[in-house]
Amino acid sequence: MCGRYALGIRASFVRYQLQQQNMQVDNAPNDDEARETYNFPPGAYGLVYRAEVPDNGLSDDGQGNTENDTTNEGAYDGAEAQETQEEPSSHKKAGFNGKYELKTMKWGLIPFWTKRSPDYGSMMRTINCRDDSLIENRGMWNTMKQRKRCIVVAQGFYEWLKKGPGGKEKIPHFVKRKDGQLMCFAGLWDCVKYEDAQDKLYTYTIITTDSNKQLTFLHDRMPVILDPNTDAMRLWMDPTTTKWSNELQNILKPFQGELECYPVHKDVGKVGNNSPDFIIPVDSKDNKKNIANFFGNAKKNNAKVEELRETIDHDSSENHAPLPIPAQNENLKRKAGVEDEGHIDKAMKLEFDPDTKPQTQASSSPAKPITPAKPTGARKTRSATSNAGSTKKPSSIKTEGNQRITGFFGKGDAPG
């Protein structure tokens, strides 16, 4: 099953990437027409690569159909439709010489015969189409597989690994091509117009197959991934090939190339979440949600703050550090009109340096330094190295600090 994938890039860039791989892209939607998200859910509008053909595909002679194909109308009455296998056409196909486009479509295929919009549960049953359901020329997919084949573009897809008792713990994994190229999922598309609607609705499904050896630990199914500019891709995308064949069926097989698969953050489990971190390994240094990066970034931020501090060399001891400015003299700083506190210290030296004041105390005992009166609320400063021999100095008031099909599409609604 493929129930979630990533497409967090613009339509214009997808067009460019496909063209770089020699894929013809004549038209593409504007960037704002397709949903750009790393957590692409069913029901959203994604980018589908297809041949520009009528809404009913090309007829057996390679021309556009002029009437609706009623092959499958009224097919679902609780069992799959029984269809008559058509004889192979003798018409020799010369290939398709028309245009190819990227088109915005809704994920969750709704057959053209549907009369009213299905509920979300019914639509979820058609987000994927099993490859083994296409072997026989019957069932709801019969028209689409012959005339409406496409490619669904993605960066990769998600799958949840079940662990623990009863598989209650689910760990999301992201799968992408190792070569970094876009993933091209084999898909089918259709166009429907509800009886009460004016506009047409284009929808698509992603075809799945057995998982390759690399992904069997994760899930038993995986999307069919095609390589661009290959014979398989050209055959799949040729709308003039309107008969299902073994050659087409054989295209639907597990991917033979190299893939990368790794756990990602659990936040991808919620459809509303979207982050480029969802396609990055959860333990990667590039993942911002990695807990190790949280502390690493904190250290970096602290380092940046420290780098802003200016270091001044001096020979003085801590006992000779500049005196703090008392609060009552803040007005003197404003009068000075400078922001260098060193200048302020000089401006107030005469008033606060005890060495500049006259010693008027007379005594017969040895002279002692005169200690100025302590300002109200002042605290005694101490040496960082010793408590002995410290000279009492006036201190200031504290300054401020830093801061997941059957008949569910209109079973009784199809016309006779």
Side-chain angles (χ1 to χ4, degrees), residues 238-298:
D238 184 359
T240 63
T241 303
T242 59
K243 299 301 176 184
W244 193 250
S245 63
N246 289 333
E247 191 175 10
L248 283 168
Q249 184 72 43
N250 291 336
I251 291 176
L252 310 178
K253 60 184 179 182
F255 186 62
Q256 303 299 307
E258 292 188 83
L259 298 171
E260 285 189 21
C261 176
Y262 45 78
V264 293
H265 201 274
K266 292 184 177 181
D267 283 356
V268 72
K270 186 175 180 180
V271 172
N273 293 337
N274 179 33
S275 171
D277 291 337
F278 293 167
I279 65 174
I280 300 175
V282 71
D283 57 353
S284 170
K285 293 181 179 180
D286 296 327
N287 195 323
K288 297 178 182 179
K289 295 182 180 294
N290 181 3
I291 190 64
N293 285 338
F294 175 82
F295 294 106
N297 289 335

Side-chain angles (χ1 to χ4, degrees), residues 134-151:
L134 302 178
I135 297 175
E136 299 182 11
N137 287 329
R138 50 179 288 177
M140 75 167 285
W141 308 113
N142 200 45
T143 298
M144 298 79 164
K145 73 179 183 181
Q146 297 184 86
R147 300 176 183 174
K148 304 176 183 180
R149 300 182 296 272
C150 65
I151 291 295

Side-chain angles (χ1 to χ4, degrees), residues 85-105:
Q85 185 171 353
E86 301 177 28
E87 294 296 326
S89 172
S90 59
H91 180 76
K92 183 178 180 179
K93 302 295 187 300
F96 182 65
N97 297 318
K99 296 181 178 180
Y100 286 88
E101 67 175 348
L102 274 172
K103 190 173 183 63
T104 302
M105 298 187 184

Side-chain angles (χ1 to χ4, degrees), residues 18 21 43 76 90 98 122 126 132-133 141 150 156 165 199 212 238 275 277 279 353 374 376 395:
L18 295 180
Q21 299 179 73
Y76 288 90
S90 59
S122 297
T126 58
D132 49 12
S133 69
W141 308 113
C150 65
D199 300 325
N212 59 15
D238 184 359
S275 171
D277 291 337
I279 65 174
D353 191 342
K374 297 181 180 179
T376 303
S395 60

Side-chain angles (χ1 to χ4, degrees), residues 21 23 44 94 104 122 165 171 263 288 314 325 370 405:
Q21 299 179 73
M23 293 177 66
T104 302
S122 297
I171 303 176
K288 297 178 182 179
H314 61 85
I325 303 172
I370 298 175
I405 61 182

